[in-house]
Amino acid sequence: MTQFTPPLHQSPHFPNPTMNKNQIPRTRPWPGFPTSKSLGTSFGDANCMEQLLVHCANAIESNDVTLAQQILWVLNNITPPDGDSNQRLAGSFLRALTARAAKTGSCKMLEAVADAHSINDLAIHTHKFSIIELANFVDLTPWHRFGFTAANAAILEATEGFSVIHIVDLSLTHCMQIPTLIDAIANRHEVPPLIKLTVAGSACRDVPPMLDLSYDELGTKLVNFARSKNVVMEFRVVSSSYEDGFAALIQHLRVQHLVYEAEGHHPTEALVINCHMMLHYIPDETVALSSISDSNSYVYSSSSASSLRSMFLKALRTLDPTIVVLVDEDADLTSNNLVSRLRSAFNYLWIPYDTVDTFLPRGSKQRQWYEADICWKIENVIAHEGLQRVERVEPKSRWEQRMRNANFHGISFSEDSVSEVKGMLDEHAAGWGLKREDEHLVLTWKGHNVIFASAWLPA
């Protein structure tokens, strides 16, 4: 089997001329750091690895080269790329911290690394999927299927009786949810409604998972699939990006909305906004109108400074959508403090590393692709700042408040919807679970919150 070069989680090795390969480095005392003796008996312990990573991050941030190099050496020797889930998780954080040090240029420890390894070897090789590969890939785990299943059930119920369904799909997975929805609509109606599908063409071109074809080509395949189900579908790509809060997409939808109003509005057309793990890429910093372009100021008119996320949701509300479905990861990766962010990420992203052992054999290509995507996420959270740090996941509670502030109210998923989600989970490992929190559904792994699904109506 062809292997990636270098292996996806191959940690850089840090030579130290004063040590032999079997020697644990002498450490200076600092609060909370385990002694060399305790390290020898707890290499596989997640808490120990987290402590090491935290101290390493602090050392890099304070430019304490000696301490950082010592910790990196220890981490490098206890995180083999073929180790258990904790070791592979810590190895990805080690890679990310090394990338941060290389990126900032403030820590000279990497001069030693360069002697043994090219810094370019730190690059993460993410795979570009074909449509078939990506469809099979997202079916491996409930990570995406949970949101697909819950969202499609809510959309079907909300659009009952409409002759036209306009779906705005803001999805990280490039419309992989849509074929199942088309199939369900075809089976539900004797004369299926017309489906209009609008996507943001520039939404996530640099964020994994990545496609190996254009959105125009993707649209052609979706239209042909719909035709095979006797469903008429129109596909439209709007060049729009999360970087400015999808301003071009909002403007496009607003123009359409004004045309409908001028024509007396078509009461039989449903507007569905499907947000699947995409909104957390919109910048979360508070911005003033003066800091946005004139065109965006027109789209996002506000009397006071606000975040682009909140402005986007308020703009959606002015379109009076039939339903908004919001699915995302239930974690908080938004802190401006590196150590806080590292702790939050470490205590959330152990989950995909733990789950992968239940459904993919070591050495398989799909496992390499899967872990490369997680590794990319970790590096973005840890190694980058400013606009380059796009992985800014917010917890369910914060999204709930944002939606309410934008004048939406949550609706409960029906028992039929819950049954569909449970049926889907039965196809996967026993560690996956489902629970209700208020009106929303939450996917769990071994009791820990993973993904939430919520449905919203204009208040």
Side-chain angles (χ1 to χ4, degrees):
M1 180 174 291
T2 303
Q3 299 290 325
F4 282 92
T5 305
L8 286 174
H9 292 280
Q10 180 63 57
S11 304
H13 291 275
F14 300 90
N16 189 321
T18 65
M19 303 175 188
N20 65 51
K21 64 181 180 179
N22 298 315
Q23 183 180 0
I24 296 296
R26 294 182 61 192
T27 61
R28 297 171 298 161
W30 66 91
F33 186 71
T35 64
S36 297
K37 183 177 180 180
S38 68
L39 280 173
T41 59
S42 58
F43 283 172
D45 180 74
N47 292 330
C48 172
M49 289 181 175
E50 182 183 0
Q51 278 188 311
L52 285 167
L53 291 165
V54 165
H55 288 302
C56 185
N58 278 323
I60 290 173
E61 291 301 277
S62 62
N63 202 28
D64 188 336
V65 179
T66 302
L67 179 56
Q69 193 165 355
Q70 286 180 333
I71 304 172
L72 287 168
W73 189 90
V74 173
L75 282 165
N76 186 68
N77 281 278
I78 62 174
T79 56
D82 59 348
D84 63 25
S85 60
N86 286 333
Q87 292 170 320
R88 301 196 312 277
L89 171 68
S92 290
F93 278 87
L94 168 60
R95 174 196 288 270
L97 286 170
T98 306
R100 184 180 181 90
K103 193 174 174 61
T104 60
S106 62
C107 219
K108 301 300 184 184
M109 73 190 75
L110 291 171
E111 291 177 359
V113 184
D115 292 338
H117 294 268
S118 168
I119 295 301
N120 291 330
D121 285 349
L122 293 172
I124 299 168
H125 299 274
T126 52
H127 179 66
K128 282 199 171 183
F129 291 87
S130 70
I131 285 290
I132 299 301
E133 284 177 339
L134 185 56
N136 291 332
F137 186 74
V138 299
D139 278 348
L140 288 171
T141 165
W143 200 274
H144 292 294
R145 288 192 73 199
F146 164 76
F148 292 175
T149 307
N152 283 350
I155 291 169
L156 285 171
E157 292 177 5
T159 57
E160 187 70 40
F162 288 90
S163 60
V164 181
I165 303 175
H166 183 188
I167 304 166
V168 180
D169 191 40
L170 295 174
S171 172
L172 183 65
T173 57
H174 311 286
C175 300
M176 288 299 100
Q177 173 182 339
I178 301 301
T180 306
L181 181 58
I182 291 172
D183 193 49
I185 289 172
N187 292 332
R188 194 180 183 98
H189 301 274
E190 190 171 329
V191 179
L194 167 68
I195 297 178
K196 298 179 180 179
L197 181 61
T198 299
V199 299
S202 307
C204 54
R205 57 182 176 270
D206 299 322
V207 176
M210 292 180 281
L211 271 181
D212 68 352
L213 76 169
S214 71
Y215 265 37
D216 288 329
E217 294 171 307
L218 172 63
T220 299
K221 292 180 181 295
L222 288 170
V223 168
N224 289 338
F225 175 79
R227 186 181 297 120
S228 73
K229 300 293 181 178
N230 296 317
V231 174
V232 177
M233 190 174 85
E234 299 173 359
F235 183 84
R236 179 179 284 108
V237 181
V238 178
S239 183
S240 190
S241 170
Y242 60 78
E243 293 172 353
D244 63 0
F246 297 107
L249 175 65
I250 290 292
Q251 179 65 6
H252 171 80
L253 296 173
R254 180 168 288 175
V255 169
Q256 283 194 328
H257 186 67
L258 291 173
V259 169
Y260 289 152
E261 283 189 334
E263 295 175 350
H265 190 58
H266 201 324
T268 58
E269 178 164 331
L271 175 61
V272 174
I273 311 295
N274 184 61
C275 306
H276 183 88
M277 300 193 191
M278 179 63 71
L279 298 195
H280 72 251
Y281 291 102
I282 299 175
D284 65 319
E285 291 95 345
T286 297
V287 293
L289 287 179
S290 59
S291 67
I292 323 176
S293 69
D294 290 340
S295 60
N296 290 352
S297 297
Y298 172 76
V299 174
Y300 295 128
S301 57
S302 175
S303 57
S304 60
S306 184
S307 78
L308 275 177
R309 293 185 183 185
S310 296
M311 294 161 77
F312 170 80
L313 295 176
K314 289 174 182 176
L316 282 187
R317 178 62 184 85
T318 66
L319 301 174
D320 199 28
T322 307
I323 188 172
V324 176
V325 182
L326 174 56
V327 175
D328 219 314
E329 297 164 331
D330 196 8
D332 188 355
L333 306 181
T334 60
S335 175
N336 288 325
N337 179 272
L338 174 63
V339 170
S340 295
R341 215 160 60 233
L342 186 152
R343 287 189 183 279
S344 293
F346 190 86
N347 286 286
Y348 177 68
L349 292 172
W350 68 272
I351 295 172
Y353 279 103
D354 194 45
T355 62
V356 74
D357 291 337
T358 67
F359 64 90
L360 288 175
R362 295 188 181 191
S364 72
K365 283 186 177 181
Q366 286 184 319
R367 179 157 170 165
Q368 291 176 341
W369 299 341
Y370 184 87
E371 294 199 352
D373 285 3
I374 311 166
C375 197
W376 184 96
K377 189 183 190 83
I378 291 170
E379 179 172 315
N380 189 265
V381 170
I382 300 302
H384 297 278
E385 295 294 349
L387 293 177
Q388 290 183 317
R389 180 162 61 83
V390 299
E391 282 287 350
R392 301 193 179 204
V393 175
E394 288 187 316
K396 175 174 65 68
S397 58
R398 203 173 300 163
W399 282 113
E400 287 176 345
Q401 192 58 53
R402 287 191 188 277
M403 293 298 289
R404 293 192 185 102
N405 290 345
N407 205 23
F408 288 97
H409 71 88
I411 57 172
S412 298
F413 289 85
S414 69
E415 290 304 320
D416 287 344
S417 300
V418 173
S419 294
E420 286 206 34
V421 174
K422 287 180 177 177
M424 179 275 298
L425 291 180
D426 287 342
E427 302 172 15
H428 296 278
W432 294 105
L434 174 68
K435 67 179 180 180
R436 291 179 186 260
E437 289 189 355
D438 300 322
E439 304 97 348
H440 317 304
L441 300 182
V442 179
L443 175 70
T444 63
W445 173 253
K446 297 181 179 178
H448 297 270
N449 284 18
V450 183
I451 311 291
F452 72 89
S454 58
W456 303 84
L457 300 180

